Amino acid sequence: MIEVEQIRIIAGLAMLSISSGIDIWKREIHDYYWLIFGAIALVISVIFWSESYLVRIGYAMIIAPIALIVWRMGLFGGADAFALIVLAGLCPVLTLSHNPVTPLTTLSNAAILIIIPISLNMIRNSYAVVTGQRIFEGFEESRGKKIAASMIGHKSKNPKYGFSIEELKEGKKKFSLRIHNAETAEFCTSPNTWITQGIPYLLLITGGFIIQLIFGDIFLNFFKMF
């Protein structure tokens, strides 16, 4: 017999998987989507009501103000904030392992996954330099600035869903490494431009949630080793 935890996990994975696909395809998700899964969370909670789950949901909702603040800061979009809030109601503090999780586990795990695009950028740019491609041509920057740019972006022939990280200052090319507001920044359309990828953060949230289910909290488990 399927237990309520399994129903919640299946619903949570379905919500994140579908929304990630929509985000990649359209780069925007209508608010009605979160209302639908919020309603599903409410229905599940009513049908399988228990005091322990009410406490779990209340504890998990600590993520709500944090997600809203991060959204308003422009570090990720509204869809990402709503996904975390609805997920807290749908799958409060759930894991398939015996490792500890917190209301911030999905978000902190997702943040760690940022290392993947950083690593891919470093590999891509290192390969370009080794093969003689002049990716820094025209730039008058320090080695440290070039390394930083190589970590967060790459030179794209035909940019799509990326934000420009280069600018002209007094006729010279410079790297602009400021944080782009996920809600208001416009995608770059200029060819042969250094960009930072506009990675759908929902993908990282989905990955963070899957890691939560299987492994738990990466940060907590790391510090438990010492």
Side-chain angles (χ1 to χ4, degrees):
M1 182 177 179
I2 298 180
E3 298 180 354
V4 61
E5 288 87 355
Q6 295 171 319
I7 294 175
R8 288 182 177 276
I9 289 172
I10 291 171
L13 287 172
M15 179 188 76
L16 292 177
S17 299
I18 296 171
S19 61
S20 294
I22 295 173
D23 202 12
I24 293 173
W25 179 31
K26 293 187 174 182
R27 288 303 172 110
E28 64 175 340
I29 302 175
H30 201 285
D31 291 345
Y32 288 144
Y33 183 86
W34 308 115
L35 291 174
I36 291 171
F37 276 95
I40 291 173
L42 180 61
V43 169
I44 293 175
S45 297
V46 171
I47 294 176
F48 299 99
W49 186 90
S50 71
E51 186 174 340
S52 63
Y53 259 112
L54 190 62
V55 172
R56 284 189 186 185
I57 292 173
Y59 181 52
M61 280 299 170
I62 294 173
I63 192 64
I66 297 173
L68 292 174
I69 290 171
V70 175
W71 168 33
R72 299 313 298 172
M73 290 173 62
L75 298 181
F76 58 46
D80 308 311
F82 296 145
L84 288 169
I85 294 170
V86 175
L87 188 65
L90 200 56
C91 304
V93 199
L94 289 182
T95 178
L96 297 176
S97 68
H98 296 292
N99 294 298
V101 296
T102 72
L104 295 174
T105 297
T106 297
L107 182 59
S108 62
N109 286 349
I112 292 175
L113 293 180
I114 288 289
I115 195 173
I116 295 176
I118 289 176
S119 299
L120 292 176
N121 282 329
M122 292 295 290
I123 292 172
R124 176 187 298 198
N125 291 319
S126 296
Y127 175 79
V129 171
V130 169
T131 55
Q133 299 178 43
R134 305 179 67 179
I135 57 175
F136 296 112
E137 185 176 15
F139 284 90
E140 295 188 13
E141 294 284 17
S142 65
R143 179 177 297 179
K145 200 77 174 286
K146 290 178 179 178
I147 291 174
S150 295
M151 293 175 65
I152 68 170
H154 64 277
K155 188 172 184 178
S156 176
K157 293 181 179 180
N158 297 294
K160 185 179 182 180
Y161 298 135
F163 305 108
S164 174
I165 57 171
E166 66 174 67
E167 60 184 359
L168 280 177
K169 283 188 176 181
E170 298 178 354
K172 298 177 182 178
K173 281 188 177 182
K174 296 287 184 178
F175 284 117
S176 174
L177 305 182
R178 65 181 181 276
I179 296 175
H180 293 82
N181 189 299
E183 287 284 289
T184 60
E186 295 184 359
F187 291 124
C188 176
T189 57
S190 301
N192 298 312
T193 304
W194 272 82
I195 64 167
T196 183
Q197 298 95 324
I199 300 172
Y201 201 77
L202 275 171
L203 282 176
L204 302 184
I205 292 174
T206 302
F209 180 62
I210 293 172
I211 293 173
Q212 171 182 317
L213 293 176
I214 299 173
F215 182 73
D217 191 309
I218 296 176
F219 277 120
L220 288 181
N221 285 317
F222 176 77
F223 286 114
K224 281 174 63 179
M225 296 169 58
F226 299 96

